[in-house]
Amino acid sequence: MMQLSGKAVSGGIVLGPIFVPDRKKEQIHCVRITDTEAEIDRVRAAVKQVKVQLQALADRALEEAGESGAAIFEAYELMLEDADYLEAIYDDIRMEKVSGARAAAATGERFAELFAGMEDEYMRARAADVRDISERLADLLDGGRETDFFPEEPSVIVADDLSPSEMVSLDRSKILAFATIQGSVGSHTAILARMMNIPALVEVPVNLEEIHTGMIAVVDGFEGTVTFEPDEDFRLQTEKRMKKEQEQLQRLESLKGRKTATKSGKKIDVYANIGSEDDVAYALENDAEGIGLFRSEFLYLGRRDFPTEEEQFQVYKRVVQRMAGRKVIIRTLDIGGDKQADYFNIGIEENPAMGYRAVRICLKQPEIFRIQLRALFRASVFGNLSVMYPMIISEEEVRQILRIAEEVQAELEAEGYPCQCPEQGIMIETPAAVMVSDELAELVDFFSIGTNDLTQYTLAIDRQNERLADYYDPHHKAILRMIRMVVENAHKHGIRVGICGELGADTELTEEFVRMGVDELSVAPSMILKVRKTVREIS
């Protein structure tokens, strides 16, 4: 019996035979191109073919994982229409005289590295999407290679990695669980696993040379372990746990459509954190009562120039319309730090987490900020939209923001656009904002506490620094006292306060947050029903 630990991305526990796919990658043929424009035409034709494939995957995902699963592949189609991505491929062909397959693979890797280097977990996870779509395009251009990736019986998939397209291509009845060496908690593969209720682990340090198809394994998505060749006692314990887990899943599903309130009747709003328009379907699938954090910076990343007002307006409009009256809180761009876009000309900073980022860019380069506010204010007439400003440290910053917002609204009205000034709130994610939250509460309509940055700034620890992992304690007394102070100051001035950082989904703290008076918890869509269950059990 051998047990390994990884990161759990989807809960559940299963026992079954493993399947190790044979996916030895062939090298892309190295061909010198003389007629570059003809090769570019070949890429354009291949893009159309890949779109057809993606539509078939979207249809299959709709059956297996619902609307939110299909939205993943619709997002892939949009990626294939991205002018920056396609032009980068064409530029490689023209300048390097390489084949379309080589150019697609190289471009995909460059774009993937851009996302992989970001601190935000959601953005890092998009690197896998770029690789997936680029590999699909490159393989088609290089002859359409196929791999042996289809188990004949229900199996636990153990592989180096697993892409969303591979996952959806498999017969759902043949996937008991999966455990991969690579991958991330925020990847679309992980999202599909949660939607399809497939227990799954990533970052499992398994040596694929030591295991083989047909071995028995137990994947535990709660403990984050995979056990190969379990003994008889372990198997019996697993079978009992599997039966109990099935009963618990049925109880969670029964909470859809139910109110999130304590036994004494205190209502708590449980919203979803999302990173793109496509995630709206996933939020609705999990019965989110609203969107507590919509990360707008995805509109600015992976491109060569700023998104236009009209581009942004259409995205914001579609999001609020799809939420059909439920609250949508959109955070203004949080570029900088780990999320870089060259065309912002931020430059290299020694300490980017404390550098030129977020609202600081907006106030130093107000022309960028004004375009986003115009799009937001125009979209606000189509639904229940609120705007939230990140990285606030002072009252003067807020006053500057509100002055710009007033000017933008006046401009739009003078130009004849239907618009309105939505609710405006700020993120409390710096110790400075906590200490002046009493004064800040007089200026805005709501607070949202970003516990991720608040924790790292308060403890002076980079949360991505593995050497300091033992010191990084989001349950630190200082953090909890700060949250309590913010809640008290907000309520003293009659405004609501929510938590949109990772602590919002920490069910060990849910009761404490409720007793503090937190009005709203915004969490990953997969955690909505679990948090609702916890709240409903509070006396």
Side-chain angles (χ1 to χ4, degrees):
M1 187 167 85
M2 175 178 69
Q3 188 173 87
L4 301 173
S5 296
K7 283 188 179 178
V9 299
S10 180
I13 182 167
V14 298
L15 166 70
I18 69 170
F19 176 79
V20 184
D22 179 13
R23 295 193 301 185
K24 293 182 175 65
K25 282 297 233 184
E26 298 177 27
Q27 289 293 317
I28 292 175
H29 299 131
C30 184
V31 180
R32 186 75 175 172
I33 300 299
T34 54
D35 190 343
T36 56
E37 293 309 311
E39 187 68 6
I40 287 170
D41 286 340
R42 204 167 74 87
V43 172
R44 291 191 179 109
V47 166
K48 291 179 181 178
Q49 286 183 263
V50 173
K51 284 185 179 180
V52 173
Q53 295 174 0
L54 292 174
Q55 186 54 57
L57 288 171
D59 293 342
R60 187 177 178 90
L62 185 63
E63 296 176 9
E64 300 285 357
E67 182 184 349
S68 46
I72 290 171
F73 297 98
E74 290 165 4
Y76 274 26
E77 287 191 58
L78 291 175
M79 189 188 305
L80 278 176
E81 295 170 0
D82 184 88
D84 295 320
Y85 174 76
L86 293 175
E87 282 301 324
I89 295 175
Y90 303 155
D91 286 349
D92 273 11
I93 295 171
R94 291 188 180 107
M95 298 169 67
E96 304 296 330
K97 309 296 184 186
V98 296
S99 68
R102 274 289 181 99
T107 299
E109 194 56 37
R110 287 198 303 273
F111 275 64
E113 286 176 1
L114 170 70
F115 286 104
M118 296 176 183
E119 182 183 343
D120 186 283
E121 185 178 340
Y122 178 88
M123 294 302 176
R124 285 204 309 274
R126 301 291 71 78
D129 298 342
V130 176
R131 286 194 177 98
D132 189 11
I133 195 67
S134 299
E135 286 177 7
R136 179 172 286 272
L137 179 59
D139 285 351
L140 182 62
L141 285 162
D142 202 42
R145 299 186 297 272
E146 294 291 336
T147 56
D148 178 15
F149 195 73
F150 297 93
E152 296 180 356
E153 61 177 332
S155 304
V156 172
I157 310 294
V158 182
D160 181 63
D161 204 358
L162 183 62
S163 72
S165 55
E166 287 172 331
M167 189 168 171
V168 171
S169 297
L170 289 166
D171 180 346
R172 169 65 183 89
S173 66
K174 301 290 176 65
I175 313 177
L176 295 178
F178 71 79
T180 61
I181 298 171
Q182 299 185 53
S184 71
V185 175
S187 70
H188 275 141
T189 299
I191 290 172
L192 282 169
R194 290 190 285 268
M195 287 188 290
M196 297 165 72
N197 293 319
I198 297 173
L201 308 180
V202 296
E203 297 184 28
V204 179
V206 60
N207 183 346
L208 295 178
E209 300 295 325
E210 295 179 356
I211 62 171
H212 58 81
T213 296
M215 291 175 69
I216 300 300
V218 172
V219 172
D220 189 334
F222 301 114
E223 298 297 327
T225 61
V226 56
T227 305
F228 296 98
E229 297 292 82
D231 59 31
E232 189 63 27
D233 285 344
F234 197 90
R235 289 193 191 200
L236 290 173
Q237 292 172 16
T238 298
E239 287 167 357
K240 289 179 183 177
R241 290 184 61 201
M242 287 169 64
K243 182 178 179 182
K244 184 178 179 181
E245 168 59 15
Q246 187 57 39
E247 293 169 353
Q248 290 175 338
L249 276 176
Q250 290 171 353
R251 284 197 291 271
L252 270 185
E253 283 293 310
S254 72
L255 292 177
K256 289 185 177 179
R258 307 287 291 276
K259 187 168 69 170
T260 307
T262 65
K263 290 181 178 180
S264 62
K266 178 172 175 55
K267 178 76 172 70
I268 304 294
D269 290 319
V270 181
Y271 292 166
N273 293 335
I274 64 173
S276 74
E277 177 185 354
D278 304 302
D279 291 340
V280 172
Y282 188 32
L284 292 172
E285 185 90 12
N286 286 275
D287 200 30
E289 295 167 88
I291 303 298
L293 170 61
F294 179 90
R295 302 176 180 92
S296 67
E297 53 270 16
F298 88 95
L299 287 164
Y300 296 80
L301 296 170
R303 52 189 298 150
R304 297 181 178 181
D305 204 353
F306 298 99
T308 65
E309 176 184 327
E310 191 62 26
E311 282 181 86
Q312 295 188 62
F313 163 66
Q314 291 296 339
V315 170
Y316 303 146
K317 174 185 172 183
R318 288 194 295 267
V319 169
V320 296
Q321 285 180 325
R322 289 178 70 185
M323 290 304 292
R326 302 185 198 193
K327 184 178 287 295
V328 176
I329 301 175
I330 299 179
R331 180 177 71 187
T332 55
L333 70 96
D334 192 8
I335 289 290
D338 62 301
K339 297 185 280 288
Q340 295 290 330
D342 290 343
Y343 59 88
F344 274 80
N345 296 317
I346 294 172
I348 298 173
E349 298 182 307
E350 288 188 12
N351 194 346
M354 296 187 179
Y356 188 53
R357 58 173 292 198
V359 79
R360 297 165 186 176
I361 294 175
C362 292
L363 294 178
K364 288 283 188 181
Q365 298 175 253
E367 66 281 1
I368 300 172
F369 191 34
R370 285 175 177 274
I371 290 172
Q372 183 172 32
L373 288 181
R374 284 174 63 92
L376 287 165
F377 286 17
R378 287 172 58 195
S380 67
V381 301
F382 293 92
N384 187 1
L385 186 151
S386 297
V387 179
M388 178 164 69
Y389 306 109
M391 284 297 293
I392 297 297
I393 63 170
S394 70
E395 298 165 78
E396 181 51 36
E397 282 177 329
V398 177
R399 290 194 178 95
Q400 281 184 260
I401 290 167
L402 297 179
R403 281 197 295 271
I404 293 172
E406 286 180 7
E407 292 167 5
V408 166
Q409 184 179 8
E411 286 173 7
L412 289 169
E413 289 172 350
E415 294 169 21
Y417 282 107
C419 72
Q420 63 185 30
C421 184
E423 274 193 338
Q424 296 179 86
I426 59 172
M427 290 192 71
I428 304 292
E429 51 191 334
T430 65
V434 172
M435 300 312 294
V436 296
S437 56
D438 194 9
E439 290 82 2
L440 292 172
E442 297 179 359
L443 302 174
V444 296
D445 300 309
F446 65 93
F447 285 160
S448 187
I449 304 172
T451 56
N452 300 353
D453 272 334
L454 181 60
T455 301
Q456 78 169 349
Y457 290 140
T458 302
L459 302 183
I461 292 175
D462 178 358
R463 58 195 176 100
Q464 300 300 319
N465 189 330
E466 294 182 3
R467 295 171 65 185
L468 299 176
D470 291 342
Y471 295 94
Y472 186 81
D473 178 16
H475 290 207
H476 195 289
K477 287 180 182 178
I479 307 301
L480 299 179
R481 287 177 183 174
M482 284 181 162
I483 293 172
R484 183 180 295 277
M485 179 189 295
V486 171
V487 173
E488 290 173 353
N489 285 334
H491 288 174
K492 188 163 61 178
H493 292 279
I495 68 170
R496 290 170 57 83
V497 58
I499 295 175
C500 66
E502 290 178 12
L503 280 189
D506 189 334
T507 52
E508 290 181 23
L509 292 173
T510 302
E511 182 167 354
E512 186 164 355
F513 290 150
V514 170
R515 296 192 185 283
M516 284 181 186
V518 171
D519 301 294
E520 162 206 319
L521 296 170
S522 192
V523 302
S526 61
M527 288 299 298
I528 289 168
L529 294 178
K530 292 177 183 177
V531 172
R532 180 173 297 165
K533 176 178 178 291
T534 304
V535 171
R536 289 173 62 88
E537 291 171 351
I538 297 172
S539 299

